[in-house]
Amino acid sequence: MPYLESELILTDNERIYHLDLAPGEVAKKIILVGDQERVPKVSKFFDTIEVKRSKREFVTHTGTYQGERITCISTGIGTDNIDIVLNELDALVNIDFNSRTVKKTHTSLDIIRIGTSGTIQNNIPLDSFLISEKAIGFDSLMHFYKSDHVLEKTISDAFVKQTNWGAEKSTPYVVTYDATLGSKFKSDKIISGFTATNVGFYGPQSRVLRLNISDESLNDKLANFSFEGSNITNLEMETAGIYGMAKLLGHKAVSLNAILANRATGQFSENPKALVEDLITFTLEKIVS
């Protein structure tokens, strides 16, 4: 049965509603960045650029790098935007816009997040790269989908028990990266990690400015959580949603983090722009290697 106009929303020129993209304008290899100003910082390394599109916080550049077609798109901050971006990217490759039906042949995308993050562990140095092998989400996105088959419930149950997680908060969920895609980015330059995806930047990450937080020991609880020798390493705001949506839709995803801050020591990178550019070039070289 065709998707209704209220569900699959297209613009007057037959582009997907929020991203403002048409089928064929995205590559099978997708780089996701949060900041729209980071898109040209990625695409400046492209040999060619065929698509430049901007709508709201979603900026898209599609081009080629060393013969590989790549799309870089900004998501904005948070898993609410990830829900939009992943669903619409999938629609662009797996739904026929003319018939409004699912295509008979499924297309799987490689989705690589390049993001910034802060560690909560003393032994993870500033200005390092971290690959998220697992992510725990505090945002509830996965609970709006039939997602039990992609979640690591044993880990989330252990987390709730160890941290005495409050019932008034969303139930945490845990998702793993795609190990096959992730293996392309393993190197002696990158640390393996377990990432926490938070619902905000201040209170949800235990930052105190003018508001008191409900649990002053939250970051300590996260840092001290252990499951089969695995500890939570860093905090950010998108990875768990990316992993969950990618698995549900049949795509591969990996999240690469530039560690700009160490929350345990109170330090911040002296040259964050250079660090992010180093992660961009590292990622591009790994994509084509």
Side-chain angles (χ1 to χ4, degrees), residues 45 110 147 151 162 201 244:
F45 294 103
D110 286 350
S147 61
L151 305 181
Q162 284 188 37
F201 185 77

Side-chain angles (χ1 to χ4, degrees), residues 152-173:
E152 303 293 329
K153 198 169 185 303
T154 303
I155 304 177
S156 57
D157 286 348
F159 175 85
V160 169
K161 184 176 181 179
Q162 284 188 37
T163 61
N164 193 27
W165 193 251
E168 72 279 2
K169 296 185 174 77
S170 298
T171 303
Y173 64 90

Side-chain angles (χ1 to χ4, degrees), residues 93-96 99 101-107:
V93 297
N94 286 313
I95 294 177
D96 185 318
S99 66
T101 58
V102 176
K103 294 178 179 179
K104 293 181 179 179
T105 302
H106 178 268
T107 296

Side-chain angles (χ1 to χ4, degrees), residues 10-277:
L10 304 179
T11 65
D12 291 341
N13 50 8
E14 296 299 302
R15 294 174 182 167
I16 198 73
Y17 184 67
H18 294 94
L19 302 186
D20 196 32
L21 295 171
E25 292 187 327
V26 294
K28 292 182 181 179
K29 297 187 185 300
I30 310 284
I31 293 174
L32 297 183
V33 296
D35 184 357
Q36 56 191 302
E37 294 183 359
R38 195 171 296 153
V39 174
K41 293 177 182 177
V42 174
S43 67
K44 73 178 183 179
F45 294 103
F46 289 1
D47 302 312
T48 64
I49 299 177
E50 64 189 76
V51 175
K52 284 188 175 182
R53 192 72 44 72
S54 175
K55 185 179 180 183
R56 304 188 189 194
E57 60 267 65
F58 308 117
V59 175
T60 302
H61 290 181
T62 296
T64 58
Y65 177 77
Q66 295 187 16
E68 191 75 61
R69 191 167 183 251
I70 299 172
T71 292
C72 182
I73 184 166
S74 61
T75 65
I77 298 174
T79 57
D80 50 348
N81 282 0
I82 295 303
D83 180 64
I84 292 170
V85 172
L86 268 289
N87 270 300
E88 294 197 357
L89 283 174
D90 179 76
L92 285 166
V93 297
N94 286 313
I95 294 177
D96 185 318
F97 283 11
N98 293 317
S99 66
R100 292 180 165 268
T101 58
V102 176
K103 294 178 179 179
K104 293 181 179 179
T105 302
H106 178 268
T107 296
S108 179
L109 302 172
D110 286 350
I111 298 167
I112 304 106
R113 172 187 177 270
I114 297 177
T116 55
S117 185
T119 181
I120 54 175
Q121 299 292 347
N122 282 308
N123 61 346
I124 295 179
L126 283 182
D127 301 328
S128 57
F129 298 159
L130 183 145
I131 185 170
S132 305
E133 293 189 346
K134 294 187 289 292
I136 183 166
F138 304 133
D139 56 284
S140 82
L141 176 59
M142 284 300 98
H143 303 311
F144 288 90
Y145 294 97
K146 293 181 178 179
S147 61
D148 286 353
H149 61 292
V150 304
L151 305 181
E152 303 293 329
K153 198 169 185 303
T154 303
I155 304 177
S156 57
D157 286 348
F159 175 85
V160 169
K161 184 176 181 179
Q162 284 188 37
T163 61
N164 193 27
W165 193 251
E168 72 279 2
K169 296 185 174 77
S170 298
T171 303
Y173 64 90
V174 176
V175 201
T176 60
Y177 74 157
D178 184 90
T180 301
L181 179 61
S183 67
K184 288 180 62 69
F185 298 91
K186 292 296 184 72
S187 91
D188 55 8
K189 294 179 62 175
I190 198 158
I191 298 165
S192 295
F194 182 179
T195 297
T197 295
N198 301 81
V199 295
F201 185 77
Y202 289 96
Q205 294 187 38
S206 295
R207 286 184 173 89
V208 177
L209 296 182
R210 292 188 60 246
L211 294 177
N212 295 325
I213 56 177
S214 62
D215 186 352
E216 294 180 356
S217 61
L218 176 59
N219 277 5
D220 289 335
K221 291 177 180 178
L222 299 184
N224 292 325
F225 170 69
S226 179
F227 182 85
E228 296 181 351
S230 181
N231 303 103
I232 294 174
T233 50
N234 62 303
L235 312 177
E236 51 78 79
M237 295 179 63
E238 290 86 34
T239 295
I242 293 170
Y243 285 3
M245 294 299 296
K247 283 182 181 290
L248 291 177
L249 291 164
H251 306 299
K252 301 179 178 70
V254 65
S255 177
L256 307 176
N257 303 266
I259 301 299
L260 300 185
N262 189 306
R263 300 294 305 286
T265 63
Q267 296 173 300
F268 193 82
S269 174
E270 293 183 359
N271 199 345
K273 291 181 180 179
L275 180 64
V276 171
E277 181 156 309

